[in-house]
């Protein structure tokens, strides 16, 4: 399973990129606003220059022609851009047309395996079930990821399941266990995956013991 960062903060993306574990980025208008706004195109291009992988950028038009026109524009920003389109009638029709042109679509705001199957048939490269938002309203978000993976595998569909709206490290590992192709997560979740108090204690202990051993070696003239 590949790990993407779910943020429009260039600082967070730079910090995560250094770790060498991030293969793509997903952005949306909410994350863009949270990161302080600015020119969306410039931010997306800057992200493309930091991470060499799929970078999702949201389209905001609400009708088919508008979506197709906007998506072509957004896709022209950089070869790694995937256009993010919410699933509805206009979104599906636009995705069918764009995928035939070779434009990568990340079909977003997916909340059921039925929607995911439709997104796949329309040719979306990435299909994004929103796990946390389903959990928020008392549904089992990860079950939608699991069912979608099962259906795609059953029919050998090439579309990739991108588990989104992940809120904590348990979501990430659950997405991996049910076979999601990609998990996208906030920077805070990536850091929470990394840290463990026993690792910190272990490092402290190794350093203290190394100091003790060096001191002892100096005492015996072996250092
Ligand atoms: O990847 C989608 C994500 O940005 C939505 O997350 O936490 O707003 O549901 P959240």
């Amino acid at each position: 399973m590949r790990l993407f960062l779910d943020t429009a903060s260039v600082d967070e993306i730079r910090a995560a990129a250094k770790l060498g574990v991030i293969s793509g980025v997903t952005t949306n208008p909410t994350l863009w606003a949270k990161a302080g706004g600015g020119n969306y195109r410039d931010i997306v291009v800057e992200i493309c220059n930091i991470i060499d992988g799929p970078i999702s950028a949201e389209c905001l038009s609400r009708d088919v022609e508008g979506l197709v026109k906007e998506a072509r524009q957004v896709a022209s920003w950089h070869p790694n851009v995937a256009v993010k389109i919410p699933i509805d009638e206009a979104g599906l029709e636009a995705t069918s047309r764009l995928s035939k042109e070779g434009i990568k679509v990340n079909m977003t705001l997916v909340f059921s395996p039925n929607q995911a199957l439709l997104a796949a048939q329309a040719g979306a490269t990435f299909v994004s079930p929103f796990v946390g938002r389903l959990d928020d309203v008392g549904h089992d978000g990860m079950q939608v990821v699991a069912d979608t993976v099962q259906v795609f595998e059953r029919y050998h569909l090439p579309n990739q399941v991108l588990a989104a709206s992940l809120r904590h490290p348990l979501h990430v590992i659950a997405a991996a266990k049910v076979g999601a192709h990609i998990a996208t997560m906030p920077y805070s979740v990536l850091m929470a995956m990394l840290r463990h108090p026993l690792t910190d204690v272990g490092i402290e202990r190794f350093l203290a013991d190394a100091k003790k051993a060096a001191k002892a070696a100096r005492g015996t003239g072996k250092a």
Side-chain angles (χ1 to χ4, degrees):
M1 184 178 75
R2 291 192 292 163
L3 307 181
F4 284 13
L5 214 56
D6 193 30
T7 182
S9 158
V10 171
D11 289 346
E12 287 181 348
I13 292 164
R14 278 192 203 288
K18 287 186 197 154
L19 304 178
V21 297
I22 295 298
S23 324
V25 174
T26 49
T27 69
N28 64 36
T30 309
L31 297 170
W32 173 30
K34 204 170 144 193
N39 183 296
Y40 191 42
R41 179 188 184 281
D42 291 351
I43 292 168
V44 170
V45 171
E46 195 174 352
I47 296 171
C48 289
N49 290 327
I50 301 170
I51 301 272
D52 185 19
I55 309 300
S56 291
E58 192 101 21
C59 293
L60 299 174
S61 303
R62 296 307 312 130
D63 61 279
V64 180
E65 292 311 322
L67 272 171
V68 169
K69 197 170 158 214
E70 185 184 355
R72 285 182 184 142
Q73 186 66 37
V74 170
S76 76
W77 292 348
H78 192 281
N80 285 351
V81 168
V83 294
K84 240 177 153 182
I85 297 182
I87 185 156
D88 62 4
E89 280 119 309
L92 266 188
E93 188 176 333
T95 298
S96 309
R97 286 171 52 181
L98 293 162
S99 62
K100 287 187 188 84
E101 294 176 20
I103 291 177
K104 290 186 287 291
V105 176
N106 176 354
M107 189 121 254
T108 186
L109 290 171
V110 168
F111 291 101
S112 73
N114 277 323
Q115 288 182 322
L117 183 56
L118 292 171
Q121 299 305 316
T125 303
F126 307 104
V127 178
S128 293
F130 273 34
V131 175
R133 291 195 194 181
L134 277 164
D135 290 356
D136 287 345
V137 294
H139 291 253
D140 185 350
M142 202 53 72
Q143 192 58 50
V144 174
V145 177
D147 289 346
T148 302
V149 168
Q150 190 185 347
V151 171
F152 285 12
E153 281 179 357
R154 172 71 177 77
Y155 293 100
H156 307 291
L157 301 181
N159 320 74
Q160 295 181 53
V161 180
L162 194 165
S165 181
L166 303 182
R167 306 271 177 77
H168 49 71
L170 285 177
H171 269 158
V172 180
I173 212 65
K177 282 162 86 172
V178 299
H181 301 91
I182 300 161
T184 191
M185 71 204 71
Y187 182 75
S188 58
V189 173
L190 178 70
M191 287 301 111
M193 284 173 71
L194 172 62
R195 296 199 174 112
H196 198 290
L198 290 179
T199 305
D200 299 338
V201 169
I203 290 171
E204 285 303 314
R205 196 174 295 165
F206 283 151
L207 291 176
D209 289 345
K211 240 188 218 169
K212 252 191 255 164
K215 199 173 165 195
R218 273 198 303 276
T220 58
K222 284 185 190 160

